[in-house]
Amino acid sequence: MLSQRTLKTLTRAVGVGLHSGQRVELTLRPAQPDTGIVFRRVDLPQPVDIPIRAEAVTDTRLASTIAVGNAKVHTVEHLMSACAGLGIDNLYVDITAEEVPILDGSSASFVFLLQSAGIELQKAPRRFIRVTRPVEVREGDGANTKWARLAPYHGYKLSFEIDFDHPAVDSTGQRVEFDMGTGNYSRDIARARTFGFTRDVEMMRSNGLALGGGLDNAIVMDDYKVLNSDGLRYDDEFVKHKILDAMGDLYLIGKPLLAAYSAFRSGHGLNNRLLRELLSQRDAWEEVTFEDERSAPGGFAQPVRAW
């Protein structure tokens, strides 16, 4: 049987929120089979649980935010991406503020945390959402067109194309494809950092955003070049970060997908729209398990190892 996975023990991290600038403590704890991933605001007078699901996403401006009532958690996508990349099904995420810490701006630190706690197989079948026919969402016209699509595929692969008119981005790859069956998430995707432009920083900070951002947790560019002294981690780090984000956004559906995702200039909002569109078309997906590991797609049969 292809089994569900959780952590062997708990693990902790402390950091600051990218947008809030607030100090936050994060504790990742094992959870029972079929719990899913549950964020828990432990700083509130009465702790509030926020289970992940597509409908829990309430804001997608610059990050993915989930909420139950007035209790929110911002910027969940990098941690969710690490959980998707390593195949974590069940997890409690205790958090002491309203934003997940940005750490180094990628998901590599979360991968390290999860791997250091150890991954444990559970006595319950892993449940997948298998896409059975294409579903697509689009936004804008002409040069402003954006789209995202899920199509049937025996496995999980993602292809993404960006379109930034900037010298530093133009000199790198604007399109990348990653397949869980043949690639290695930790090696190929996890180290790609979020990025931004100095021309946008003043505007964002005046709106209470990017208060915790800097050269230690983002790629920062002026009008011509990358300002980080250590340069890029991948030649195509910009578009790889979009794959990283998409994996996190899509895992908010609550189960691993069996599908081919493709997108052009998509973002958190369009990714969430795509999940909701998929769920609304009941003939476009089915839930499946694999009683025999050997029949599972490549990349899912064993717990994913780190580096």
Side-chain angles (χ1 to χ4, degrees):
M1 179 179 69
L2 188 56
S3 300
Q4 292 179 34
R5 302 168 188 168
T6 189
L7 300 185
K8 290 182 178 177
T9 186
L10 62 78
T11 184
R12 292 188 174 95
V14 178
V16 298
L18 173 64
H19 294 300
S20 66
Q22 283 183 297
R23 182 183 184 276
V24 55
E25 297 177 23
L26 192 74
T27 303
L28 307 178
R29 296 188 291 114
Q32 293 298 310
D34 295 317
T35 300
I37 297 174
V38 180
F39 285 77
R40 175 174 284 173
R41 285 287 305 276
V42 297
D43 57 313
L44 300 175
Q46 291 291 327
V48 176
D49 286 358
I50 311 174
I52 61 155
R53 57 193 188 96
E55 297 82 5
V57 176
T58 57
D59 193 349
T60 53
R61 291 170 294 175
L62 301 179
S64 286
T65 296
I66 58 174
V68 166
N70 294 322
K72 300 177 180 178
V73 180
H74 302 286
T75 320
V76 299
E77 60 272 11
H78 296 173
L79 173 55
M80 291 302 302
S81 184
C83 290
L86 296 183
I88 304 296
D89 298 285
N90 304 302
L91 183 69
Y92 283 111
V93 182
D94 294 347
I95 189 167
T96 64
E98 64 176 18
E99 187 175 16
V100 175
I102 190 63
L103 302 181
D104 78 338
S106 73
S107 65
S109 297
F110 295 117
V111 167
F112 175 79
L113 283 170
L114 294 165
Q115 288 282 358
S116 67
I119 295 173
E120 183 169 276
L121 298 179
Q122 299 178 288
K123 294 179 180 178
R126 193 159 200 224
R127 305 181 192 283
F128 294 82
I129 290 179
R130 178 159 63 193
V131 173
T132 55
R133 66 170 177 78
V135 173
E136 181 179 301
V137 290
R138 302 183 77 88
E139 183 180 293
D141 297 305
N144 296 316
T145 297
K146 304 176 182 181
W147 56 264
R149 178 187 302 128
L150 288 168
Y153 182 67
H154 186 63
Y156 189 39
K157 68 177 177 180
L158 306 96
S159 59
F160 204 108
E161 185 175 354
I162 56 177
D163 183 26
F164 284 97
D165 184 17
H166 187 281
V169 184
D170 289 343
S171 64
T172 73
Q174 300 242 18
R175 185 184 183 281
V176 74
E177 181 171 295
F178 173 72
D179 192 317
M180 283 285 288
T182 56
N184 180 303
Y185 173 83
S186 302
R187 179 193 67 209
D188 301 334
I189 301 296
R191 298 177 64 246
R193 294 161 292 176
T194 193
F195 57 92
F197 304 91
T198 53
R199 62 175 181 258
D200 298 329
V201 169
E202 188 174 333
M203 177 273 293
M204 287 194 291
R205 289 188 172 165
S206 67
N207 287 299
L209 299 169
L211 300 178
L215 292 168
D216 59 340
N217 56 30
I219 305 168
V220 182
M221 291 168 282
D222 62 16
D223 289 340
Y224 305 101
K225 63 184 184 301
V226 171
L227 300 181
N228 303 64
S229 59
D230 56 346
L232 298 178
R233 295 176 175 178
Y234 304 107
D235 291 341
D236 48 3
E237 188 169 358
F238 302 104
V239 68
K240 280 190 171 177
H241 186 77
K242 290 295 190 178
I243 291 274
L244 184 157
D245 274 351
M247 289 183 70
D249 289 341
L250 296 176
Y251 206 37
L252 289 168
I253 201 168
K255 295 179 177 65
L257 286 167
L258 296 178
Y261 164 88
S262 52
F264 176 68
R265 299 177 63 228
S266 186
H268 305 298
L270 208 56
N271 289 337
N272 188 249
R273 271 186 55 201
L274 181 62
L275 292 185
R276 292 177 187 237
E277 184 67 22
L278 174 69
L279 292 173
S280 74
Q281 299 186 29
R282 194 58 190 85
D283 64 333
W285 60 277
E286 61 185 359
E287 185 175 303
V288 298
T289 59
F290 294 94
E291 293 304 316
D292 184 347
E293 251 190 41
R294 291 171 296 183
S295 65
F300 289 104
Q302 297 294 331
V304 181
R305 308 217 174 270
W307 304 103

